[in-house]
Amino acid sequence: MGTERTWDMPETMIGVDDARERILARFAPLEAVATPIVDALGMVAARNVVSTVDVPPFRNSAMDGYAVRSIDVADAPVVLRVTGTVAAGTVPDRAVGPGESMRIMTGAPIPAGADAVVRFEETDESSRANNGLAEIEISRPVQARENVREAGEDVRAGDAVISAGTVLGPAEIGILASLNMATVDVHRRPRVAILSTGDEVVDLGPDLQPGQIRNSNSHTIAALVRQAGGEPVLLGVARDTTDDVHDKLFASDTPDLFVTSGGVSVGDYDVVKNVLKAEGSIDVWQVRMKPGKPLAFGTIGNTPLLGLPGNPVAALVSFEQFGRPAIRRMLGHSQLSLPELDAISMERLPNPGRRRHFVRGVVSRTSAYLEARPTGDQGSAVLMAAVRANCFIIVPETSDVIDPGTTVRVQLFDGTLIT
């Protein structure tokens, strides 16, 4: 009777959701840093922002036209005296009295006495000279406050304009600028140190020798880190020795997270586990997923380390399930994982092994529903299947096969637009 491969049995592996929960328990939003608002797009506000000013700070015109007293034009058409012009950025030098008006530009302060603005299109200005008019005919009545922006119409002093936890978009940046805030407190970006391992792995530059492969993982992971909002730090490639992995990790300034690829399986040269055991702890190992089963999570000193598989697609899938949520939690986001929705599987999806299968696929829209199809060879080293994909089609660990026409859950890649 052969020796049982207990480490390869689904019953001995931790589930994806449980693994994610254990990993995320190690992370919290990072400290707040004052950041120029032009650099804060997509960052998460670390504190509430309360306005100390009114926006706009004064009553102003919403249109080019004439500032009038609405009572004077109630029986329009009427003719009013023109007593001056108010341009944006200037201050009226007189009030508007009975039977009077002042020519006014958009954004200019409303002169005292006036309570409405009549648009140029509703006067007979077009038939006269545009400046220096002694009088103007108003063609229709206007209501009080018509075409007038009141002081504090947008924001009043004391208003809470941004809550802690808000993701700062262009509108939020604009509000901050309106409040004269050059910087805003946000959770800082985590520094993520990335190390590939393997005697066969060669960094970019030299020609490959027999038996060697290119270090694509570091660059894939760096791009994923940046996409999630972190700052990647490339540590290069470590040989398959405990000493080299140790030296490469400890040569870097202490990051907020280490991410390695390779060295976490059960082979003779899988040394990342050995470093974790010697220098810290292993909290997660062997996850019930495909690809990405040989995943490790633990600590090196006080720094968390996520050990990804060495196969390129397995590393990508594992990072999206565990690394991305960790980075987004450090950034203060509430939405941690990739967005999910339902679609109809258009092909048969076998799932031997009772593991959660993240099939690289394409989701597209029909007139009635969303369709999902795999993008070819699903081998854990076939990166082109991910290049062609815009989603992961999720086959549950409880399903041996998904038949065509079955509703499946799909995870959309970051920035995916479904067409």
Side-chain angles (χ1 to χ4, degrees):
M1 186 172 180
T3 303
E4 289 191 3
R5 292 156 51 99
T6 56
W7 49 267
D8 202 28
M9 298 171 63
E11 295 80 5
T12 67
M13 303 175 196
I14 185 172
V16 174
D17 299 328
D18 191 12
R20 186 184 296 115
E21 184 177 335
R22 290 195 199 181
I23 290 170
L24 288 177
R26 180 61 178 75
F27 296 92
L30 297 176
E31 69 273 15
V33 292
T35 300
I37 59 173
V38 294
D39 297 327
L41 183 66
M43 303 294 283
V44 178
R47 298 185 177 91
N48 296 335
V49 175
V50 177
S51 177
T52 59
V53 297
D54 288 341
V55 181
F58 53 85
R59 297 173 77 227
N60 66 89
S61 178
M63 297 285 180
D64 294 337
Y66 284 85
V68 301
R69 299 179 347 138
S70 59
I71 193 172
D72 289 341
V73 298
D75 297 324
V78 298
V79 175
L80 302 177
R81 295 186 301 279
V82 179
T83 61
T85 297
V86 189
T90 67
V91 178
D93 58 2
R94 61 184 296 164
V96 171
E100 295 180 343
S101 67
M102 293 187 74
R103 200 167 186 268
I104 192 167
M105 302 297 112
T106 301
I110 301 293
D115 65 355
V117 172
V118 179
R119 297 182 302 161
F120 283 156
E121 296 90 333
E122 295 162 346
T123 73
D124 67 345
E125 179 175 282
S126 61
S127 64
R128 306 182 182 212
N130 282 343
N131 293 292
L133 299 179
E135 58 183 25
I136 191 74
E137 181 178 300
I138 307 299
S139 61
R140 77 164 182 88
V142 290
Q143 301 297 314
R145 301 178 64 181
E146 189 169 336
N147 298 322
V148 173
R149 302 184 184 122
E150 296 293 337
E153 179 180 275
D154 193 1
V155 176
R156 292 190 177 276
D159 283 353
V161 295
I162 294 175
S163 301
T166 299
V167 180
L168 300 178
E172 287 80 9
I173 301 299
I175 282 291
L176 293 170
S178 298
L179 305 183
N180 194 33
M181 292 182 61
T183 63
V184 60
D185 288 342
V186 297
H187 296 289
R188 70 170 176 84
R189 296 187 186 277
R191 293 179 68 254
V192 181
I194 301 163
L195 178 68
S196 289
T197 68
D199 289 340
E200 78 282 16
V201 180
V202 177
D203 233 328
L204 308 187
D207 292 339
L208 294 179
Q209 300 302 311
Q212 294 181 335
I213 61 172
R214 193 65 71 191
N215 177 21
S216 64
N217 280 355
S218 286
H219 302 278
T220 301
I221 296 166
L224 290 167
V225 166
R226 194 175 298 279
Q227 188 177 62
E231 295 180 356
V233 179
L234 294 179
L235 303 183
V237 180
R239 301 300 101 199
D240 280 326
T241 68
T242 300
D243 287 344
D244 199 29
V245 171
H246 176 281
D247 291 347
K248 289 287 197 310
L249 292 175
F250 282 87
S252 65
D253 293 334
T254 304
D256 300 294
L257 172 65
F258 286 112
V259 177
T260 63
S261 64
V264 293
S265 189
V266 293
D268 294 337
Y269 299 101
D270 292 316
V271 294
V272 171
K273 299 193 311 297
N274 298 333
V275 175
L276 279 171
K277 291 176 182 176
E279 302 292 342
S281 64
I282 299 178
D283 301 322
V284 174
W285 185 52
Q286 299 284 328
V287 180
R288 192 177 175 183
M289 62 186 289
K290 178 183 179 180
K293 177 191 68 178
L295 178 132
F297 176 78
T299 57
I300 295 287
N302 293 319
T303 304
L305 183 148
L306 179 63
L308 305 178
N311 280 323
V313 178
L316 185 154
V317 171
S318 297
F319 181 91
E320 290 285 52
Q321 303 311 310
F322 308 111
R324 182 182 192 274
I327 289 173
R328 288 179 64 82
R329 174 156 287 179
M330 287 189 278
L331 285 165
H333 286 279
S334 57
Q335 178 60 45
L336 304 182
S337 299
L338 293 170
E340 295 186 5
L341 44 76
D342 289 333
I344 303 298
S345 178
M346 305 308 292
E347 296 186 20
R348 186 175 185 272
L349 304 174
N351 185 34
R354 292 172 292 161
R355 289 184 280 160
R356 188 175 301 182
H357 192 182
F358 294 89
V359 177
R360 282 69 72 200
V362 170
V363 60
S364 57
R365 191 182 306 278
T366 70
S367 58
Y369 49 82
L370 297 177
E371 297 180 346
R373 293 178 172 83
T375 53
D377 189 340
Q378 294 294 307
S380 61
V382 182
L383 200 54
M384 280 305 298
V387 171
R388 300 185 185 102
N390 65 4
C391 71
F392 296 128
I393 306 170
I394 302 174
V395 181
E397 49 269 62
T398 54
S399 297
D400 294 325
V401 65
I402 295 293
D403 291 319
T406 303
T407 297
V408 290
R409 201 72 174 156
V410 299
Q411 239 180 25
L412 298 180
F413 290 175
D414 206 334
T416 292
L417 295 176
I418 301 175
T419 58

